Amino acid sequence: MNVPVYPLHKAFGVERAVVSTYQAASGAGLDAMRELEQQARDWAEGKPLTQEIFGRQYIWNLFSHNSPQYQDNGYNQEEWKMVEETPKIFEGPFKVAVTCVRVPVLRAHCESINLQFGRKVTLDEVNSVLRAAPGIRLVDDRVNNRHPEPQLASGEDEILVGRVRLDQSVEAGYGIDMFIAGDQLLKGAALNAVQIAELLLEK
Amino acid sequence: MNVPVYPLHKAFGVERAVVSTYQAASGAGLDAMRELEQQARDWAEGKPLTQEIFGRQYIWNLFSHNSPQYQDNGYNQEEWKMVEETPKIFEGPFKVAVTCVRVPVLRAHCESINLQFGRKVTLDEVNSVLRAAPGIRLVDDRVNNRHPEPQLASGEDEILVGRVRLDQSVEAGYGIDMFIAGDQLLKGAALNAVQIAELLLEK
């Protein structure tokens, strides 16, 4: 989320974000990916589904993120990480409501993101900021319905951003919706480490 | 969405909803379900994937809903239906931001829903309204991470509602998050027709 939202936050001031995730098996590790693959083979052969990692059917299913849930507020750790870490990364207050979900995708996470801004924006301004921001590629073809998908993001260094629209539920120009996809095995881990190292060397 | 949100709207006044969907192949018809199943078999056998309905890989993937998109505002017809029809069904203004997504699930749709209320509520009040509302079953077990899933909703008459939490991004008590699952082949079509007929006969 941070890669496309940070430049928008700097440009327009994000007052609040509402995020729903579509997270792949890969985020839970190689064994989780292998189990999902095995379930597809089991299903195709009409066999009982292997259920050792998540203890449930994953193929043709989706479920609340598998990290532990806080009994007091109902958030799970994956969600709370975003609530707590985003203000630290953005170096300022940042309000985010988030629901994390595992979907039967092997690799690359997606997020549906709604942003409310402190000032009025146009879609052109939003797209200009996104085009100029590092680490992002706009994939937003309304005619052919080509937008960010896990299959397009897998193995890519960039976060794909699309479905960028003015939010119809707030005063015109004070919010947007967008949908993003990124290969978190790259952006979330290895590539990020390299890019942070590069930034430090530049300083 | 309407089944759990309408009673909450009547009780507390929903000022705005932000919704992201996780829609199954079944909503696109039997041929779409069959193609997704065929892709699983193709994948398991290492064969090229059949791509006649959606023109893309669906297994291990997800994508923006396949309904046509309005070129002016970027919404697709599935989303716009919710924006336009919900106020008619609720018989009053209702603001909703929505992003519709197809996920590789055979049957039953899910939705991640964020609601902002016009007055302060407690989680107990919200759950009381949901428990008393017709057509809903609360599935909200934080300890065992049992929440609404397509597999639990398939073939069920009721809409499953869970992950009910106070939204941390607004003033405490002025919003909630929840996650729902429902078998739209029942609730969206046949069962609904029966229930509407029953209501008419009662009048």
Side-chain angles (χ1 to χ4, degrees):
Chain A
M1 178 191 79
N2 297 335
V3 179
V5 171
Y6 182 66
L8 294 172
H9 186 44
K10 275 184 73 172
F12 310 125
V14 173
E15 298 206 324
R16 178 172 175 253
V18 179
V19 179
S20 296
T21 73
Y22 302 68
Q23 293 180 248
S26 58
L30 191 61
D31 287 347
M33 289 176 73
R34 291 290 166 266
E35 178 160 296
L36 180 53
E37 291 177 334
Q38 187 57 44
Q39 287 198 359
R41 283 188 289 264
D42 292 340
W43 178 87
E45 294 169 18
K47 293 197 292 193
L49 302 181
T50 309
Q51 300 186 23
E52 287 169 13
I53 307 288
F54 293 114
R56 71 184 89 204
Q57 180 171 340
Y58 192 172
I59 183 109
W60 316 139
N61 200 22
L62 53 86
F63 49 93
S64 175
H65 192 277
N66 49 295
S67 57
Q69 282 155 69
Y70 300 106
Q71 298 307 307
D72 55 346
N73 66 18
Y75 275 69
N76 60 46
Q77 285 181 8
E78 184 84 352
E79 293 160 353
W80 203 247
K81 212 164 55 178
M82 268 175 77
V83 171
E84 288 208 317
E85 298 297 325
T86 313
K88 294 181 197 167
I89 297 167
F90 288 6
E91 296 180 327
F94 188 82
K95 291 179 183 167
V96 55
V98 54
T99 297
C100 287
V101 178
R102 284 252 184 248
V103 292
V105 165
L106 289 172
R107 184 169 168 174
H109 292 341
C110 293
E111 295 181 0
S112 174
I113 300 175
N114 179 280
L115 300 177
Q116 291 172 257
F117 296 125
R119 75 164 179 87
K120 193 167 181 164
V121 303
T122 67
L123 206 54
D124 283 345
E125 286 178 297
V126 170
N127 283 324
S128 294
V129 168
L130 290 172
R131 269 194 211 94
I136 290 171
R137 182 152 52 92
L138 269 176
V139 180
D140 201 348
D141 178 351
R142 294 176 179 178
V143 177
N144 300 300
N145 193 20
R146 296 309 284 184
H147 297 285
E149 298 177 11
Q151 279 294 319
L152 299 174
S154 289
E156 296 288 317
D157 289 347
E158 289 164 319
I159 303 290
L160 310 186
V161 179
R163 299 295 329 272
V164 186
R165 291 156 286 156
L166 290 181
D167 179 353
Q168 307 290 315
S169 75
V170 295
E171 194 184 333
Y174 281 87
I176 60 163
D177 293 289
M178 62 184 181
F179 194 80
I180 70 173
D183 189 334
Q184 88 290 349
L185 293 185
L186 292 170
K187 195 62 194 173
L191 180 68
N192 243 22
V194 172
Q195 289 176 336
I196 289 165
E198 285 173 349
L199 284 173
L200 290 172
L201 286 173
E202 280 172 20
K203 280 188 177 176
Chain B
M1 178 191 78
N2 296 335
V3 180
V5 171
Y6 182 66
L8 294 172
H9 187 43
K10 275 184 74 173
F12 310 125
V14 172
E15 297 206 325
R16 178 171 175 254
V18 179
V19 180
S20 296
T21 74
Y22 301 68
Q23 294 180 246
S26 58
L30 191 62
D31 288 347
M33 289 176 74
R34 292 290 164 267
E35 178 160 298
L36 179 53
E37 291 178 334
Q38 187 56 44
Q39 287 197 0
R41 282 188 289 264
D42 292 342
W43 178 86
E45 294 169 16
K47 293 197 293 195
L49 303 181
T50 309
Q51 300 186 22
E52 287 170 12
I53 307 288
F54 294 115
R56 72 184 89 202
Q57 180 172 342
Y58 192 173
I59 184 106
W60 316 139
N61 200 20
L62 54 86
F63 50 92
S64 176
H65 191 277
N66 49 294
S67 58
Q69 283 156 70
Y70 300 105
Q71 298 309 305
D72 54 346
N73 66 18
Y75 275 69
N76 60 46
Q77 286 181 7
E78 184 85 350
E79 293 159 354
W80 203 247
K81 212 164 54 177
M82 269 176 76
V83 171
E84 288 208 319
E85 298 296 326
T86 313
K88 294 181 197 167
I89 296 166
F90 288 7
E91 295 181 328
F94 189 83
K95 290 178 183 169
V96 54
V98 53
T99 298
C100 287
V101 178
R102 284 253 183 246
V103 293
V105 165
L106 289 172
R107 184 169 168 175
H109 293 339
C110 294
E111 295 182 0
S112 173
I113 300 176
N114 178 280
L115 300 177
Q116 292 171 257
F117 296 125
R119 75 165 179 86
K120 194 167 182 165
V121 302
T122 67
L123 205 54
D124 283 343
E125 287 178 296
V126 169
N127 283 325
S128 294
V129 168
L130 290 172
R131 269 193 211 94
I136 291 171
R137 182 152 52 93
L138 269 176
V139 180
D140 201 349
D141 178 351
R142 294 175 179 179
V143 176
N144 300 301
N145 193 20
R146 296 309 284 183
H147 297 285
E149 299 177 8
Q151 278 294 318
L152 299 175
S154 290
E156 297 287 318
D157 288 349
E158 290 164 317
I159 303 290
L160 311 185
V161 179
R163 298 297 327 273
V164 186
R165 291 156 287 156
L166 290 180
D167 179 353
Q168 308 289 317
S169 76
V170 294
E171 195 185 333
Y174 281 87
I176 60 163
D177 293 289
M178 61 184 181
F179 194 79
I180 69 172
D183 189 333
Q184 87 291 348
L185 293 185
L186 292 171
K187 195 63 195 171
L191 179 69
N192 243 22
V194 172
Q195 288 175 338
I196 290 165
E198 285 173 349
L199 283 173
L200 289 172
L201 288 172
E202 280 171 22
K203 282 190 179 177

